[in-house]
Amino acid sequence: MRMSNRGFSEGGLRKIREVLVRHVESGNIPGLVALMSRDDETHVEAIGTMRHDGGAPMRRDTIFRVASTSKPVTMAAAMVLLDECRLRLDDRVEPWLPELADRRVLKRIDGPLDETVPARRPISVRDVLTSTFGLGMDMTVLGTPIMGAVFEQGLTPNLPEPMPEPDEWMRRLGTLPLMHQPGERWQYQIASDLLGVLVARVTGQSFGTFLRERVFDPLGMNDTGFHVPADKIDRLPTLYAPDPQSAEFTVWDEAEGGRWSTPPAFEGGGGGLVSTADDFHAYFRMLLNGGMHGGERILSRAAVELMTTNRLTPEQNAARTAMARNNVHISFGQGQHGGWGLGMAVRTYRGDYAPIGQFGWDGGSGTSTYADPDNQLTGILLTQVGASVPDPVQLMHDFWTTVYQAVDN
């Protein structure tokens, strides 16, 4: 770890490492990679091992399944299309996504699937980008017919059966009514996966190819994609989903022969990426730089500002606020930021050590990625422990608490 007296205090950096080591030594986190940068100063910690029972040590270039921290990154594809006027925020999506024409909406969220009313208006690009198009994951209404149908149709990741290829996924999506009127309420996950289908159909390329050409390659994100090639598979750790009752480590995905060892049928913008700390750092630094990377413009400054400032009304954000504040036994305290931009959370009130304006998101595989314009700070925390238990989320909170203590003005 390179030490200096600019950007971060030496005592603060020692404290970060001590806290990270403590989490690994507890036995609850096998290994992690953490990156902290401020202005031109970057520090990286790689602690622990690739498996909970030992194995190779974590390295700076370890490749992680980043889960929902994919969302802030994959949104860049849509912003490129907005910048080029190939999409407009208030365009109807029907020309590209005809499966979503003439929508019906449930009369009530827990009602039968055939008790519907017509949608008041068509779904727009803005609705998809803000996750308000009318369908999504809602953990507060599990057990309802509509949530049962979402799971049965294979419309979400993390189930035993992989998601189908995009056209079949869209066909299944088109058979369901909306949960809410378009634009009415923020809902999680499905819009982020729908984004990838929209981008692919507008561009005539696969989602992954477009991201590679327009975002990943220009930023030098050489280890980011929707699967891990065979020559890099040894850099992918085992992913665990500990038992919620016993906390016993349960393997959710192995590297060799696992879910990310071959290209997927569905390239999921909501949680399908693998990446490294340095790749994610390049992306978030680009956002802090107003869309610039070196001398190359990746996104317009206006596009970055649109992504990284709150886009939701209190009414649209009500379900997210309730989930974060009233269901901490499910979220373990995640999600308490106040706002949502495009593909990421935006802090609109100061509820912890992070200031208003910080943007980014967390992932259910134990990942946390944020940038802070006021302090010109980026933090990347990558682990291999799913949030079926509180340990990885508590690690995230401790990481950010110590990072902000280390800021040396």
Side-chain angles (χ1 to χ4, degrees), residues 265-289:
F266 190 101
E267 297 175 325
L273 288 181
V274 293
S275 193
T276 64
D278 282 298
D279 279 11
F280 256 62
H281 181 219
Y283 181 77
F284 277 86
R285 288 299 303 176
M286 178 271 292
L287 296 182
L288 283 182
N289 291 332

